[in-house]
Amino acid sequence: MKYVLFICTPVGGEESSPAEIAADPRFASYIHEVRTRDVVRGGARLRPAADATTVRVRDAEVLLSDGPFAETKEYIAGFDVIEVADLDEAITLASRHPAALAGGSVEVRPVWE
C-alpha cells in the first residue's frame, strides 16, 4: 500500500541546508534504512512555507496570496511517497524520521489507488 509521509517542521525553527541534512547522522541512518528496504517511491524537500503561493478561484477570478494556505504552528517541509505492507509499517517508518525525533511531526496519509 502507498502512503505519503508529510514531513512537518515547526514555524520559526531552524532551516537546515541540504548539506547539513546530508551530514546529519540521523538522516543518514534513516535514508540508509528506507533505501535498503526499497520502500521509497518518490519525494522531495520543499522550500519554507513563506515561499509558497496560494491560489484560489472565486467567481471565476483567480486570487493569489503569498505564503501558505493557513496560519499554522508547523509547515510541510517535505514529503516521501512510500510503499509498505500496511499502516503499521508506515507509522513505524514515520516514527523513526529525524524530523519527528527533533520535535516536528510526520503526517501519514494513504494514497488513493
Side-chain angles (χ1 to χ4, degrees):
M1 187 155 189
K2 286 185 183 170
Y3 294 88
V4 173
L5 305 181
F6 290 105
I7 316 310
C8 302
T9 210
V11 169
E14 190 173 316
E15 185 74 25
S16 298
S17 71
E20 290 170 320
I21 288 173
D24 185 327
R26 296 170 303 167
F27 275 97
S29 175
Y30 180 80
I31 291 167
H32 175 73
E33 177 183 355
V34 297
R35 285 187 180 159
T36 300
R37 294 177 58 191
D38 193 31
V39 297
V40 176
R41 300 294 175 255
R45 182 162 178 243
L46 302 175
R47 299 208 31 104
D51 292 347
T53 299
T54 299
V55 179
R56 292 180 175 83
V57 178
R58 301 291 184 265
D59 298 320
E61 181 181 358
V62 177
L63 305 171
L64 303 177
S65 57
D66 291 333
F69 73 95
E71 292 292 322
T72 63
K73 293 181 181 188
E74 295 180 319
Y75 68 91
I76 300 172
F79 66 96
D80 292 329
V81 179
I82 61 170
E83 189 166 356
V84 294
D86 54 29
L87 179 60
D88 290 338
E89 189 175 356
I91 290 170
T92 298
L93 277 178
S95 71
R96 292 184 186 137
H97 195 284
L101 297 172
S105 64
V106 177
E107 179 181 332
V108 178
R109 194 177 305 176
V111 174
W112 285 108
E113 293 191 270

